[in-house]
Amino acid sequence: MATHEIKQNKNKNKQVQNLLRHLPENIAAFRLECSECSKQFRPNWFKLSNEPLIPVKPNDHDGPGRWIPIKTYEICPFCEEAVPLDLPVVQMQSKVMLFGDEAYREEQGKLIFTYSLVGADFKVMSKIEDSLRELKSQLCPSEAPDSWAFHMKELWSGDERKKHRVFRDWNFEKVQLAVQGLFQLIQSHAEYLFMYNIALTAKGSLKGFKSKPVLERPQDNAYILLIMYVINECTKAKGQPVLQFDAEKQTKADQVIQGWARDAFSGSQRCLIYPFLAKGVEIPEPIFVKPASQPCLELADFISYIIARFYLKKWQGKEIEEALNPRNLGKVMYLGSDETGDLVFHKTESYPWELFYES
Ligand SMILES: [Zn+2]
């Protein structure tokens, strides 16, 4: 590897380390006991190492066999003994399809950026898809349900509606009916529907952040923190997360995080945190798909719109419209950051506004 590449990798690792300094609880609490001096210590999760993550056994999943790292060594900070560390390996039992979309709002020099991931076990995905098609057919019997998509920005605003092939004939009453239908759909699948939302705020404008390097922008941080959180949650439950995003909104952070994950897992310089997040489960790189080509993308757009608008209304000192109250979504895992920049999360029905800090 060329020197500049190593330097680049080190910088990238530092940025990711800074972002992920607040590790998922199960990882943060982990301690290793030295076999020599019996003292306990925290593994260095972000140290880049050229040591191979030692063998490797075929992973028992429903594809061809795969070699995965199962053991490494950490140096005891007290006596410098090399202490063996078993890497977590779970038996993959399900595949979780998750679909992501984003929204943002700017108001009074402040920016809110939000991502939502919505999905379910692949075995029940068709139930959700069928419900959405049914709702669309009820609202617009003359058009094939897959030929148009719910897109909240075009649906909620009167001016935007006029330009839309399907929405242009809809009055506000019908719009509210559609929104109620989406809330009901979400509630009717609540038992197995996964909903995650992250919102980060910053001073500045989207235009201002555009020229900033990746990982210094709230949209990139939101993307990375959300997917890392969700990967860890899925693998804890023995699921393989399959992430799909709207291709029109592809983020540069995606390339950085994928590059980092590749380096961390199989590159020449490895980082211990990754096998602990993945737990032996193969994590496919996020796919960027045609907008609204997957019904759950429409639900992710719906949730992101609602949360972004919630911030807008709060900042404007206005009431939250009952028709778009996040409470109607039921329980969502909401992520955000507190005033020290720590990632905080809470699964709740009403939006945990007080929990999160606004920049
Ligand atoms: Zn020791």
Side-chain angles (χ1 to χ4, degrees):
M1 192 185 288
T3 321
H4 75 273
E5 259 179 83
I6 291 175
K7 205 174 160 197
Q8 260 180 0
N9 273 355
K10 277 198 174 138
N11 284 340
K12 209 158 50 180
N13 188 56
K14 219 173 169 153
Q15 286 175 309
V16 175
Q17 174 173 352
N18 189 37
L19 255 180
L20 296 180
R21 66 198 183 281
H22 307 292
L23 297 164
E25 231 172 307
N26 56 322
I27 296 176
F30 187 88
R31 295 289 181 279
L32 202 55
E33 190 176 304
C34 175
S35 47
E36 191 62 29
C37 72
S38 302
K39 287 187 178 145
Q40 291 195 344
F41 64 96
R42 271 179 81 153
N44 186 349
W45 297 110
F46 294 101
K47 187 188 68 187
L48 282 176
S49 159
N50 292 312
E51 297 285 319
L53 289 168
I54 317 185
V56 283
K57 71 169 187 189
N59 192 11
D60 212 4
H61 69 107
D62 56 347
R66 208 161 56 83
W67 298 88
I68 55 163
I70 56 164
K71 195 176 223 169
T72 185
Y73 291 87
E74 279 285 293
I75 302 299
C76 169
F78 304 102
C79 73
E80 294 185 359
E81 173 77 7
V83 183
L85 168 58
D86 291 327
L87 301 174
V89 176
V90 299
Q91 194 85 31
M92 194 179 99
Q93 286 175 352
S94 69
K95 189 189 273 194
V96 181
M97 312 301 287
L98 289 160
F99 298 87
D101 203 358
E102 39 101 291
Y104 69 91
R105 285 287 184 283
E106 290 169 296
E107 177 72 17
Q108 297 156 20
K110 289 192 286 192
L111 175 69
I112 144 86
F113 202 93
T114 184
Y115 262 106
S116 304
L117 272 173
V118 183
D121 188 290
F122 78 102
K123 291 190 212 86
V124 296
M125 276 308 294
S126 61
K127 287 199 219 177
I128 301 163
E129 292 165 7
D130 289 349
S131 291
L132 193 67
R133 285 194 190 104
E134 201 181 313
L135 174 65
K136 287 162 87 173
S137 297
Q138 276 168 11
L139 290 163
C140 181
S142 60
E143 299 276 346
D146 288 342
S147 73
W148 62 278
F150 283 112
H151 188 223
M152 283 303 286
K153 228 177 171 171
E154 291 173 304
L155 180 65
W156 196 255
S157 135
D159 290 339
E160 294 294 322
R161 263 203 311 282
K162 279 181 211 145
K163 300 181 219 156
H164 193 275
R165 178 167 64 90
V166 170
F167 304 151
R168 67 179 162 221
D169 304 325
W170 293 18
N171 58 20
F172 193 59
E173 222 164 274
K174 181 142 183 181
V175 171
Q176 284 182 302
L177 209 65
V179 167
Q180 276 167 22
L182 286 168
F183 279 128
Q184 274 161 12
L185 184 154
I186 285 170
Q187 283 157 16
S188 69
H189 295 284
E191 202 188 314
Y192 42 76
L193 191 67
F194 296 111
M195 290 188 282
Y196 300 95
N197 171 270
I198 187 166
L200 296 182
T201 58
K203 282 199 179 76
S205 66
L206 202 66
K207 213 176 159 193
F209 277 109
K210 211 166 186 170
S211 54
K212 290 260 161 89
V214 180
L215 300 184
E216 284 178 25
R217 313 186 305 172
Q219 58 265 50
D220 301 325
N221 293 359
Y223 174 82
I224 290 171
L225 289 172
L226 182 63
I227 67 168
M228 286 294 138
Y229 179 87
V230 166
I231 287 173
N232 185 55
E233 285 296 298
C234 280
T235 55
K236 263 203 302 199
K238 302 183 179 174
Q240 178 193 41
V242 180
L243 301 165
Q244 300 186 43
F245 288 89
D246 186 325
E248 270 183 9
K249 296 166 183 171
Q250 185 150 10
T251 148
K252 276 192 209 147
D254 169 60
Q255 288 156 26
V256 172
I257 199 68
Q258 289 187 8
W260 173 77
R262 242 180 261 131
D263 292 345
F265 197 52
S266 56
S268 56
Q269 290 198 303
R270 297 188 184 86
C271 180
L272 187 59
I273 182 72
Y274 195 73
F276 270 78
L277 288 173
K279 302 175 194 62
V281 175
E282 188 182 354
I283 313 293
E285 295 187 354
I287 310 162
F288 288 83
V289 295
K290 231 173 80 198
S293 58
Q294 297 284 345
C296 276
L297 281 176
E298 292 167 70
L299 299 182
D301 169 77
F302 182 60
I303 297 173
S304 289
Y305 183 88
I306 286 169
I307 301 306
R309 194 172 174 93
F310 183 92
Y311 275 80
L312 181 73
K313 293 286 162 185
K314 282 278 189 189
W315 284 346
Q316 291 173 337
K318 290 185 184 161
E319 288 286 309
I320 306 303
E321 301 135 303
E322 205 35 55
L324 291 180
N325 195 316
R327 202 189 321 110
N328 300 323
L329 294 167
K331 282 196 174 164
V332 176
M333 178 58 88
Y334 289 111
L335 295 87
S337 69
D338 68 9
E339 55 189 318
T340 62
D342 280 10
L343 182 72
V344 278
F345 40 87
H346 192 39
K347 191 169 183 179
T348 169
E349 213 162 278
S350 44
Y351 190 76
W353 175 253
E354 288 79 19
L355 191 67
F356 301 143
Y357 175 75
E358 302 167 60
S359 293

